Amino acid sequence: MKKNLLSLVLAMFCISVMAQNSVTLKLNLEKNKVYRFNSVSESTVTQTINGNSQSSDTKTNNTISIKMVDATPDFMIAEVRFDSLITNSNAMGKVTNMNSRKEGDIKSLEATEVMACINNRLSKNALYVKMDFSGKILQVVNSKMLSDVILKDTSSITLKNPIGSMLKKQMQNMVSEKALKTMVEVYTYNLPGKDVATGTSWDVTINTSTGGMSLDVITNYHLDGVNGNTANITAVSDIKAPANVEPIVTGPAKITYDDLKGVSKSNMVIDTRTGLIIESKSKSHIAGNLGISYTGGSMQMPMDINSDSKVTA
């Protein structure tokens, strides 16, 4: 009798321990409540041209807010706003500062003023996204309308080619549905969307679009532990260009980047009640050769990118 009672107590204890070490990791947002995040990053890009290294530093400070406006058993609709987009860069001594709170000027002869205008328009207009409960963006519902609003009167850009045509292409890429999905998924798409136990791993693949480059980010997440209403997660990402990726065409130049590869490592704290990030810190390194071909010649440009980023609720 005592032996049976002891076995029952042990079994109940084991079940209790298992329950404490498993958690549901999926989005669970309160309707019409605004959740706001701040993302800060610093990156250094080093390019080698004819044996000479040239570096540029970029610092960004972005704020984003998410509000769930409707939900079904399979997906939710959320309003997403880029409340502020701030970028400070130093490219070989040339310092530029952009803040989405400044209106900029689409007709300016300064590229930073033109891009500031586009960022300002983006910050003033909401995205409506359809996403599943793992945080994956299924659709930007108002993508076409948003693109039309942000890119209106870009025909009046007075910057001469090739800078003018490069800017127009950059703007189009920036407000494409693919790029907008990437900008939101950085904050949301890192969950398995189900119950998981401590020690469990899951994979998430995101195809990012940045600066005209398409990169696959394949991330393995690992649930390290659960403490009250928080889950501690570590993540390791492999970064590479997709197979047969299209080159970037800039005026007469064609740039291939299929040699780029990298890795990113992150530590995250997730609020298990909402499924949203409380804090995330990551470091990444990408390196490889850019192939540049132009009329009458071609060259290889080694590139090395190091970055640190932090997201806080």
Side-chain angles (χ1 to χ4, degrees):
M1 182 67 182
K2 288 183 179 180
K3 188 177 293 185
N4 292 336
L5 182 60
L6 179 60
S7 299
L8 180 61
V9 170
L10 287 173
M12 292 177 65
F13 175 77
C14 290
I15 291 172
S16 175
V17 169
M18 289 174 63
Q20 292 173 13
N21 287 281
S22 64
V23 66
T24 301
L25 289 180
K26 68 177 184 178
L27 292 181
N28 181 33
L29 308 187
E30 183 179 330
K31 188 174 182 179
N32 292 326
K33 181 175 181 178
V34 177
Y35 301 88
R36 185 167 283 111
F37 304 90
N38 178 245
S39 172
V40 178
S41 70
E42 297 185 12
S43 63
T44 300
V45 179
T46 303
Q47 299 171 322
T48 304
I49 304 174
N50 296 324
N52 297 315
S53 294
Q54 300 177 344
S55 295
S56 60
D57 299 313
T58 302
K59 296 181 180 180
T60 64
N61 190 333
N62 301 331
T63 304
I64 183 176
S65 58
I66 301 173
K67 179 175 69 175
M68 189 270 284
V69 295
D70 201 4
T72 74
D74 298 318
F75 63 85
M76 72 175 73
I77 301 295
E79 177 187 289
V80 179
R81 290 183 178 273
F82 298 104
D83 301 311
S84 64
L85 301 166
I86 301 172
T87 302
N88 300 313
S89 63
N90 185 336
M92 294 169 286
K94 180 176 175 57
V95 178
T96 59
N97 301 295
M98 285 195 297
N99 189 324
S100 62
R101 294 173 184 171
K102 298 180 180 180
E103 291 191 356
D105 183 2
I106 199 71
K107 298 180 181 179
S108 174
L109 295 176
E110 292 290 333
T112 53
E113 283 295 305
V114 176
M115 287 306 299
C117 179
I118 297 300
N119 284 339
N120 178 261
R121 292 175 181 178
L122 178 58
S123 69
K124 287 181 176 179
N125 291 276
L127 282 70
Y128 289 92
V129 300
K130 177 181 177 181
M131 67 169 77
D132 66 21
F133 294 97
S134 71
K136 178 179 175 61
I137 306 300
L138 306 174
Q139 180 186 4
V140 180
V141 179
N142 64 331
S143 175
K144 178 64 168 62
M145 183 185 301
L146 186 68
S147 176
D148 289 344
V149 169
I150 293 174
L151 296 179
K152 69 178 182 179
D153 64 25
T154 51
S155 59
S156 62
I157 291 175
T158 54
L159 285 164
K160 294 181 179 180
N161 290 331
I163 296 176
S165 59
M166 287 171 60
L167 270 183
K168 289 180 181 179
K169 184 68 174 177
Q170 183 178 347
M171 292 171 186
Q172 291 169 359
N173 288 334
M174 179 179 172
V175 297
S176 68
E177 183 170 15
K178 182 177 177 180
L180 293 173
K181 283 182 179 180
T182 299
M183 291 175 72
V184 180
E185 286 181 336
V186 167
Y187 301 90
T188 64
Y189 191 24
N190 41 53
L191 305 172
K194 60 183 181 180
D195 291 348
V196 289
T198 297
T200 300
S201 296
W202 63 95
D203 294 326
V204 170
T205 298
I206 296 178
N207 180 260
T208 67
S209 179
T210 306
M213 290 195 301
S214 175
L215 294 172
D216 285 338
V217 181
I218 305 163
T219 305
N220 178 260
Y221 293 90
H222 182 271
L223 178 60
D224 298 331
V226 180
N227 184 13
N229 294 319
T230 62
N232 296 308
I233 295 170
T234 54
V236 178
S237 304
D238 287 324
I239 306 168
K240 61 181 180 180
N244 303 314
V245 65
E246 291 291 327
I248 301 170
V249 178
T250 305
K254 184 183 293 185
I255 303 172
T256 57
Y257 56 94
D258 49 319
D259 183 54
L260 289 183
K261 292 182 177 63
V263 65
S264 178
K265 296 182 179 180
S266 307
N267 292 290
M268 308 171 64
V269 181
I270 298 288
D271 186 334
T272 58
R273 295 166 296 184
T274 62
L276 293 172
I277 292 172
I278 296 174
E279 183 178 81
S280 175
K281 297 179 180 179
S282 64
K283 291 180 177 289
S284 63
H285 176 244
I286 301 173
N289 293 309
L290 301 183
I292 304 174
S293 59
Y294 48 90
T295 304
S298 63
M299 62 181 291
Q300 292 283 312
M301 180 188 293
M303 176 178 280
D304 191 272
I305 307 170
N306 289 285
S307 64
D308 294 294
S309 63
K310 180 180 180 180
V311 175
T312 53

